[in-house]
């Protein structure tokens, strides 16, 4: 294997040298590199690291801090806070269910924030160190395209890229029309974690993964929470049965869930907000809260990027659409796109952008690549209860014309599910006498249970293939194994 890797590296270097001899720099007198990456989030820095590992010279332009939204305002800090929320919930469970005489006084907000920020800072230093060791030139500044393979970086100058330019400028939260976030009483998902203190009440607008996670966190911290979603159910991209179980779990925790509802009006009043919500029942309900948290989606960031100078246009929602999805290359040869700039079927998920970055880097290095299989990218909501899924929902499978067989199994069908005592569900969608099309989970810790199902769906396995593999007992993931056993006609704890 080491020999094969060396051969790939030698081939890449030879190819790079040939390119340098045959292509002219787009900006004589400026900096010339093989690859220019604009944006240092997960998609951008993964592209840079992989390209550098393949022997390409890389310049990475980032106007803020490498790591992007995921590391500094999203995935990492929010999951740190949700872990703290889980600890708080565990104290109540210990006392009320298990007879452990635990007490809970209060959350030391400054200590919690310090721990969160330390985790973010250590990850940030780690990414910066990886880039430095890989030999990536990181430039602090905003980049503006000046041509199909060149850009001007503020404070640095012109950079020409022989192999190509990778756009990875990410996204920002969408805001409700007619108002602005102030970071205290009205916050977006980007600044919700950094708003001062813990509010006593929160109105969350948006019931996708981000809104559900923030609703869950604030409820764990003792806030009165109202969660409003315009679609007819929470996490509307997920399976309808999972959505129902999720909503039931949140309501059981005391969260007021209003799906199929609209925010008619809102205003900042004193130290809080007042709003009117039209419910699915047609009622207009007044809601007062200390904080309005807006989680109605994200929009691509392209302002100042100079797309027109490179011959690029965006779609109606601001995305840069690839002409070739197998290479994530735009209609302008040599310009590739990764991360949140991509439209569907890209999922706007950090782990998908890692895969996109690897694909683009290997494409630019001249390697044979395979396109990202978005159907097998796991989707997770880190609330309490959690959801996790991969593949098609039942409705999607039927709409695609599959002859579908479905098996739903409660987590409490296995002993470890009873131990946790928080309900939950495993749902498998498969072709009749055929392959598994989708796996959908809701319940405690299901984010840690979805990986094997990604392999099952991605490798077109059938339930009988999975049924031959033994799951450890007692575990929660045993319920996943039982669901496959049942579909294969070998179930022990459930008749199908």
């Amino acid at each position: 294997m080491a020999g094969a890797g060396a051969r790939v590296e030698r081939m890449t270097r030879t190819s790079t040298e040939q390119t340098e001899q045959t292509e002219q720099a787009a900006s004589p007198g400026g900096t010339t590199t093989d690859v220019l990456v604009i944006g240092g989030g997960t998609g951008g820095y993964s592209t840079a690291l992989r390209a550098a590992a393949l022997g390409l010279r890389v310049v990475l332009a980032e106007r803020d801090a490498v790591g992007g939204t995921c590391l500094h305002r999203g995935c990492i800090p929010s999951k740190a806070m949700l872990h703290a929320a889980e600890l708080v919930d565990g104290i109540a469970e210990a006392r009320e269910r298990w007879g452990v005489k635990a007490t809970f006084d209060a959350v030391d907000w400054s200590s919690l924030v310090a721990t969160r920020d330390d985790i973010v800072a250590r990850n940030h230093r780690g990414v910066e160190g990886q880039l430095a060791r890989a030999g990536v030139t990181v430039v602090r500044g905003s980049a503006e395209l000046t041509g199909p393979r060149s850009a001007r970086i503020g404070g640095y100058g012109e950079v020409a890229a022989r192999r190509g330019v990778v756009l990875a400028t990410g996204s920002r939260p969408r805001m409700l029309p007619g108002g602005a976030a102030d970071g205290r009483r009205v916050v977006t998902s980007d600044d919700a974690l950094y708003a001062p203190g813990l509010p006593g009440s929160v109105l969350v607008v948006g019931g996708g993964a981000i809104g559900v996670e923030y609703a869950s966190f604030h409820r764990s911290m003792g806030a009165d929470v109202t969660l409003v979603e315009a679609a007819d159910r929470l996490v509307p991209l997920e399976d309808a049965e999972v959505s129902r179980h999720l909503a039931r779990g949140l309501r059981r925790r005391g969260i007021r869930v209003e799906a199929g509802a609209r925010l008619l009006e809102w205003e900042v009043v004193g130290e809080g907000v007042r709003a009117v919500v039209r419910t699915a029942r047609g009622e207009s309900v007044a809601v007062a809260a200390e904080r309005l948290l807006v989680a109605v989606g994200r929009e691509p960031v392209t302002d100042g990027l100079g797309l027109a100078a490179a011959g690029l246009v965006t779609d109606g929602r601001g995305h840069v659409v690839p002409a070739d999805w197998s290479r994530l290359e735009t209609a302008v040869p040599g310009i590739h796109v990764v991360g949140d700039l991509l439209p569907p079927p890209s999922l706007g998920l950090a782990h998908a952008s890692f895969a996109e970055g690897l694909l683009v880097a290997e494409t630019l290095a001249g390697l044979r690549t395979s396109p990202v299989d978005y159907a097998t990218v796991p989707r997770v909501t880190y609330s309490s209860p959690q959801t996790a899924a991969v593949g098609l929902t039942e409705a999607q499978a039927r709409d695609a014309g599959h002859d579908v067989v479905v098996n739903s199994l409660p987590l409490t069908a296995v002993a470890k599910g009873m131990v946790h005592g928080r309900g939950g569900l495993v749902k498998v969608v498969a072709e009749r006498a055929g392959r598994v099309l989708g796996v959908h989970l809701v319940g405690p810790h299901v984010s840690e249970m979805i990986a094997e199902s990604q392999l099952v769906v991605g490798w077109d396995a059938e339930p009988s293939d999975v049924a031959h593999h033994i799951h450890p007992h007692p575990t929660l993931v045993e319920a996943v194994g039982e669901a496959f056993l049942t579909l294969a006609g070998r179930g022990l704890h459930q008749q199908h």
Side-chain angles (χ1 to χ4, degrees):
M1 293 298 290
R7 284 195 298 274
V8 168
E9 186 173 355
R10 283 196 297 272
M11 288 164 47
T12 301
R13 286 176 176 164
T14 300
S15 179
T16 301
E17 290 165 0
Q18 291 172 347
T19 301
E20 291 175 355
Q21 292 167 4
T22 58
E23 293 188 16
Q24 297 297 315
S27 56
T31 300
T32 301
T33 189
D34 294 317
V35 179
L36 169 61
V37 181
I38 302 176
T42 51
Y45 79 70
S46 62
T47 304
L49 287 172
R50 181 60 178 145
L54 291 170
L56 301 179
R57 286 182 288 181
V58 183
V59 172
L60 171 63
E62 169 55 57
R63 63 186 180 188
D64 188 3
V66 292
T69 295
C70 176
L71 176 52
H72 298 283
R73 298 175 294 279
C75 316
I76 306 307
S78 68
K79 301 318 170 278
M81 303 291 263
L82 284 163
H83 177 69
E86 185 179 8
L87 295 175
V88 171
D89 292 339
I91 295 171
E93 181 187 355
R95 181 179 62 251
E96 295 167 9
R97 186 163 185 251
W98 294 101
V100 177
K101 302 303 181 183
T103 59
F104 173 68
D105 297 325
V107 173
D108 184 336
W109 181 248
S110 60
S111 294
L112 191 157
V113 165
T115 301
R116 176 202 68 198
D117 291 349
D118 177 63
I119 292 168
V120 170
R122 283 190 285 139
N123 275 275
H124 182 218
R125 289 194 298 271
V127 174
E128 287 190 316
Q130 285 181 289
L131 291 166
R133 288 190 295 273
V136 174
T137 300
V138 178
V139 180
R140 308 294 180 188
S142 297
E144 180 180 1
L145 295 167
T146 55
R149 299 202 184 194
S150 62
R152 184 181 302 108
I153 305 174
Y156 185 78
E158 190 90 2
V159 177
R162 293 187 178 91
R163 292 299 184 93
V165 174
V166 183
L167 305 181
T169 49
S171 64
R172 61 186 162 222
R174 297 183 187 274
M175 188 54 200
L176 296 171
D182 63 11
R184 182 167 60 92
R185 295 161 300 182
V186 181
V187 298
T188 67
S189 56
D190 265 14
D191 50 32
L193 293 175
Y194 299 94
L198 286 167
S201 55
V202 183
L203 169 59
V204 180
V205 179
I210 294 174
V212 167
E213 289 178 5
Y214 277 113
S216 180
F217 167 77
H218 284 94
R219 182 60 190 147
S220 296
M221 293 296 165
D224 292 326
V225 179
T226 300
L227 175 59
V228 175
E229 166 57 39
D232 62 356
R233 55 191 175 86
L234 299 182
V235 290
L237 298 181
E238 302 302 338
D239 190 88
E241 194 169 358
V242 165
S243 294
R244 288 194 297 272
H245 275 260
L246 173 63
R248 188 180 306 141
L250 295 176
R251 288 188 177 108
R252 191 178 297 126
R253 295 181 55 207
I255 295 174
R256 179 180 180 179
V257 177
E258 293 288 354
R262 297 279 181 179
L263 185 67
L264 296 181
E265 58 185 70
W266 62 275
E267 63 176 339
V268 174
V269 178
E271 292 303 305
V273 294
R274 291 178 183 169
V276 177
V277 174
R278 174 65 57 85
T279 71
R281 303 174 297 280
E283 303 167 342
S284 294
V285 179
V287 179
E290 292 181 26
R291 186 168 294 166
L292 171 63
L293 198 160
V294 181
V296 292
R298 301 181 67 85
E299 59 185 9
V301 174
T302 58
D303 44 304
L305 189 53
L307 296 177
L312 291 172
V313 295
T314 61
D315 67 4
R317 295 178 63 84
H319 299 101
V320 179
V321 183
D324 183 353
W325 278 91
S326 70
R327 298 163 53 88
L328 296 180
E329 189 171 24
T330 68
V332 178
I335 299 183
H336 298 254
V337 190
V338 298
D340 288 358
L341 282 187
L342 288 167
S346 180
L347 301 170
L349 300 172
H351 45 286
S353 70
F354 282 130
E356 292 159 356
L358 293 173
L359 166 63
V360 169
E362 290 166 4
T363 296
L364 292 171
L367 302 183
R368 188 171 298 167
T369 59
S370 298
V372 175
D373 184 1
Y374 291 105
T376 61
V377 175
R379 309 177 300 273
V380 179
T381 303
Y382 296 86
S383 53
S384 177
Q386 295 182 350
T387 75
V390 63
L392 300 178
T393 66
E394 180 181 353
Q396 289 169 340
R398 295 189 188 280
D399 289 345
H402 294 285
D403 183 12
V404 169
V405 59
V406 174
N407 183 31
S408 296
L409 178 75
L411 283 182
T412 51
V414 298
K416 196 65 181 294
M418 296 181 189
V419 170
H420 282 277
R422 289 184 246 162
L425 178 80
V426 175
K427 180 174 183 176
V428 178
V429 180
E431 294 175 325
R432 193 174 302 277
R435 61 197 172 104
V436 177
L437 300 172
V439 179
H440 309 275
L441 313 175
V442 58
H445 308 299
V446 296
S447 60
E448 307 293 341
M449 295 165 54
I450 197 62
E452 72 163 320
S453 296
Q454 178 187 20
L455 300 179
V456 170
V457 173
W459 288 342
D460 293 332
E462 298 184 6
S464 57
D465 297 323
V466 187
H468 287 293
H469 297 279
I470 301 170
H471 288 73
H473 171 81
T475 59
L476 285 173
V477 78
E478 185 181 8
V480 177
E482 182 67 26
F484 287 119
L485 277 168
T486 301
L487 280 177
R490 302 175 61 198
L492 294 175
H493 300 96
Q494 180 193 30
Q495 297 300 315
H496 181 65

